[in-house]
Amino acid sequence: MKSWIKWLIAALVIALLAAGIARVLSSRKAQQAALAIQTASSATQSIELIDTELVQVRQQTVARSLPIAGTLKTLNSAFVKARVAGELQGLLVREGDSVKAGQVLAHIDPDEYQARLRQTQQQADASQAQIEIAQRQFDNNKALVEQGFISKTALDASIANLNAAKATYQAAMSATEVASKTAKDTVMTAPIAGLIAQRLAQPGERVAIDTRILEIVDLASLELEAALSPADSVAVRIGQTATLQIEGSAQPVSARVVRINPSAQAGSRSILIYLSLQPLPGLRQGLFAQGSLATTSFTGLTLPLSAVRTDKPMPYVQVVENRKVVHRPVTLGERGEINGSLMVGVEGLAENTVVLAGSVGAVREGVSITTAEPKAAPAPTSGK
């Protein structure tokens, strides 16, 4: 190959490499220019907020609270049980029916028990007749002994017969009392006033002794049974108040601690506390309730817990400084409630520092903040 051809090929290769390098450098310059424009645009970006989206760090006294949850239970409830075995009759009440204390609810077929009562009464009558016979025999023998016609041994035998007849009569009378009570137990009455919660048997069934027939609950007095850890239970005292949210009800319910179980539960080691509820229509036994129990209080710089962000390794808040957003790390302290809002103590911020509320969401540092002016209400129009 001629030398001038080699030089021509080398020149072409060098030209192509130079063109490629120039193209890459031009692309990089374009990317850097676009990034600079984007950064400048971000630096000048601003958002508009209303007053409710800004909160201040304030020195406040906050009530400490414990989360509690449990099931509503009636303070007074009772099961109506069969005291005797037999066929269930006359059960007419059903779930939701109102009953009064002492009201007859059902009965067991009484024929067998009334027959036993008559039998024991007849046995008692027969025993009483034996007493009369033994008494006359004793009186006669006593007179004969005084006249010397019979020996004292015959009198002793008549005394024994009389005492035996009396004992037999007493036993017959006790059996009559037992049979009478059993006959009365065939009638089932309501031990308390309330509502029928469960009907556990049907008319015509043959039930055994202690079979549950009905459950009655008194909704006039409801309480919450809540389990606390041993550490949390130390701060609980009788008389402390709680605010509860009950499933199915939008209205919060106030409650008060009335009892604390003196023993820990086996296995879980939890402590049960009992809170009486303010009576409200619509509350039912078995509903789930949860809320917070106010225990003690603390004073310090606080913020709404929702304003603290945790999407970085350390908790931080979005502070407004010179109308720009700055992320400030904070140290969280104790938690509590003020008027139902969950608050947290913070360290690392000065009092009256303005912070973005949790409803605003995450905002980049450097973003400008403007405050919206409140809109004037439209003037009322007069109707003609």
Side-chain angles (χ1 to χ4, degrees):
M1 181 181 292
K2 295 182 179 181
S3 61
W4 65 269
I5 297 178
K6 293 181 180 180
W7 286 107
L8 180 60
I9 294 174
L12 290 174
V13 171
I14 293 172
L16 291 174
L17 289 175
I21 293 172
R23 189 179 296 108
V24 171
L25 292 176
S26 177
S27 176
R28 286 185 179 179
K29 287 182 179 180
Q31 291 177 356
Q32 290 175 355
L35 181 61
I37 294 173
Q38 183 178 1
T39 303
S41 175
S42 298
T44 59
Q45 182 182 0
S46 65
I47 59 174
E48 187 178 57
L49 301 177
I50 59 177
D51 290 341
T52 56
E53 294 176 322
L54 299 173
V55 295
Q56 284 186 318
V57 179
R58 295 188 181 277
Q59 185 87 5
Q60 299 182 93
T61 299
V62 182
R64 292 188 181 95
S65 60
L66 294 174
I68 57 174
T71 303
L72 299 188
K73 294 184 178 180
T74 57
L75 190 60
N76 297 318
S77 63
F79 280 99
V80 179
K81 299 181 180 180
R83 296 183 178 180
V84 295
E87 181 182 333
L88 183 62
Q89 297 178 345
L91 180 60
L92 300 178
V93 293
R94 291 189 173 275
E95 292 84 352
D97 288 344
S98 176
V99 296
K100 298 179 180 180
Q103 177 180 336
V104 176
L105 303 177
H107 61 269
I108 303 297
D109 185 4
D111 292 345
E112 178 182 353
Y113 300 99
Q114 290 176 353
R116 290 181 182 177
L117 176 59
R118 291 193 297 270
Q119 181 183 17
T120 56
Q121 288 175 341
Q122 292 167 357
Q123 289 174 347
D125 293 340
S127 298
Q128 189 174 19
Q130 292 298 321
I131 291 177
E132 295 175 357
I133 295 173
Q135 185 67 49
R136 287 196 296 269
Q137 185 179 5
F138 169 75
D139 293 339
N140 293 335
N141 289 343
K142 183 179 179 181
L144 292 174
V145 168
E146 290 174 353
Q147 295 175 7
F149 290 113
I150 60 175
S151 65
K152 190 174 180 300
T153 304
L155 180 62
D156 293 340
S158 61
I159 292 175
N161 291 336
L162 177 60
N163 291 335
K166 290 181 178 180
T168 302
Y169 174 73
Q170 293 297 329
M173 288 302 297
S174 297
T176 300
E177 292 176 1
V178 172
S180 176
K181 182 181 182 305
T182 303
K184 292 179 181 179
D185 286 343
T186 59
V187 179
M188 288 176 282
T189 59
I192 61 172
L195 300 173
I196 302 298
Q198 293 187 79
R199 174 167 155 165
L200 305 170
Q202 301 300 326
E205 291 185 25
R206 184 167 184 83
V207 296
I209 297 176
D210 284 339
T211 299
R212 293 181 175 184
I213 307 299
L214 297 167
E215 182 186 10
I216 303 174
V217 297
D218 180 11
L219 297 181
S221 54
L222 286 171
E223 65 179 15
L224 173 69
E225 180 184 273
L228 296 178
S229 66
D232 290 339
S233 66
V234 174
V236 179
R237 300 288 184 272
I238 292 177
Q240 292 172 343
T241 58
T243 302
L244 303 176
Q245 192 66 46
I246 301 174
E247 62 175 335
S249 175
Q251 181 179 1
V253 179
S254 62
R256 186 173 64 89
V257 178
V258 291
R259 302 192 313 280
I260 302 174
N261 198 311
S263 302
Q265 301 299 298
S268 65
R269 314 306 302 165
S270 60
I271 307 297
L272 294 179
I273 63 171
Y274 305 89
L275 299 90
S276 65
L277 271 67
Q278 175 187 3
L280 288 174
L283 296 185
R284 297 289 185 268
Q285 177 177 242
L287 293 179
F288 180 77
Q290 60 183 348
S292 58
L293 172 65
T295 54
T296 56
S297 62
F298 69 93
T299 301
L301 296 176
T302 61
L303 270 177
L305 181 61
S306 59
V308 179
R309 300 198 59 82
T310 57
D311 51 352
K312 289 185 178 182
M314 295 292 293
Y316 71 96
V317 294
Q318 302 177 123
V319 176
V320 179
E321 292 183 359
N322 299 323
R323 290 191 170 272
K324 292 185 181 296
V325 175
V326 179
H327 294 178
R328 296 291 185 201
V330 292
T331 301
L332 302 183
E334 298 185 85
R335 301 183 183 186
E337 285 191 357
I338 296 181
N339 298 327
S341 298
L342 189 57
M343 311 293 289
V344 62
V346 293
E347 295 180 8
L349 297 175
E351 189 174 3
N352 297 325
T353 300
V354 178
V355 177
L356 299 189
S359 58
V360 178
V363 179
R364 290 192 302 273
E365 287 191 279
V367 173
S368 298
I369 300 297
T370 59
T371 304
E373 294 293 334
K375 296 181 180 179
T381 58
S382 59
K384 291 183 180 180

